[in-house]
Amino acid sequence: MCDIRLFRSAKADYDTAVMIWKNPYNDEMILNNAAYHLQQAVEKTLKGALECVGVTVPNTYKVSKLVKRISDNGANLTVTEWVDDHSEMLGEWEAQSRYDMDFLVEKRKLDAAVREVKAFLDVNGIHKELRNELQNSAVKKRLLQCLPENKRDCSDFELNCYYIMFKKKIEG
C-alpha cells in the first residue's frame, strides 16, 4: 500500500502557498515562496499517485517528467489541462524560486496557479471533504473492504487518498 503522506504534504504545501499569496507582506520576492509551494503540491501529488501503482518515483522536481510517467503507468490521477500545459513552468518555479535571486514570479501567473492547482487537487480528491465518488455508500463500502481492518477508521481526507490507490479495483 502506498503512503498517503505525500498527498497530505501536497495539501499542506497548497495551504502554505495560499497563506503566502493572501499576505505577501508587500514584498514581491515572498511570492516566489508561494510559487515554490504550489510546485511542490503538484509534484507530491503526482509522486504519490505513481507510488500507488508501484512505480519507483524518480528523484526529480520536473513536473513534465512526472506527468509523462502518470500517463505511461496508468496511475489513477487526473492531470488537468492546466497542469499538463504548465508543467515546464512549474518545474522552473521549483529551482528558480529558491536559487535565482533575480527571479520574480509574475503575480498574474501566481494568481492563475493558485486557482488551477486547487482545481487539480480538487478533481483528484486531495481535500478534506469526502470526494463525490465516495458519497455513494456502495463505492465507499467497496473501498473500505480494500483496506486493512486497522486502516478503516480514517478521515475523509484519507479515504479520498485511498480511493486514488484502489479506484481500478473498486470499479473493476
Side-chain angles (χ1 to χ4, degrees), residues 46 51 62 94 103 107 139 165 168:
L46 295 169
E51 278 189 2
K62 299 218 179 251
E94 194 278 342
F103 177 76
K107 176 104 170 61
V139 173
M165 285 182 232
K168 288 180 182 175

Side-chain angles (χ1 to χ4, degrees), residues 55-150:
V55 173
T56 300
V57 178
N59 187 14
T60 184
Y61 61 86
K62 299 218 179 251
V63 172
S64 57
K65 285 184 179 182
L66 296 169
V67 166
K68 180 166 178 10
R69 284 191 176 227
I70 289 287
S71 64
D72 289 350
N73 291 284
N76 298 321
L77 197 76
T78 300
V79 176
T80 60
E81 185 177 336
W82 187 91
V83 166
D84 193 23
D85 290 348
H86 293 84
S87 61
E88 293 293 332
M89 177 190 76
L90 289 167
E92 289 175 15
W93 281 4
E94 194 278 342
Q96 287 186 320
S97 66
R98 294 188 308 154
Y99 302 117
D100 183 350
M101 293 300 119
D102 295 323
F103 177 76
L104 290 175
V105 66
E106 294 177 50
K107 176 104 170 61
R108 69 179 179 82
K109 288 183 180 178
L110 187 64
D111 292 348
V114 166
R115 284 189 312 274
E116 296 295 336
V117 172
K118 180 178 185 337
F120 169 68
L121 295 175
D122 283 349
V123 76
N124 288 296
I126 309 299
H127 49 72
K128 292 181 180 169
E129 303 78 29
L130 195 62
R131 62 189 302 148
N132 290 337
E133 298 91 339
L134 295 175
Q135 300 293 332
N136 179 319
S137 60
V139 173
K140 185 176 179 180
K141 181 179 178 183
R142 285 194 300 274
L143 173 60
L144 289 170
Q145 290 171 341
C146 294
L147 301 177
E149 190 103 9
N150 66 337

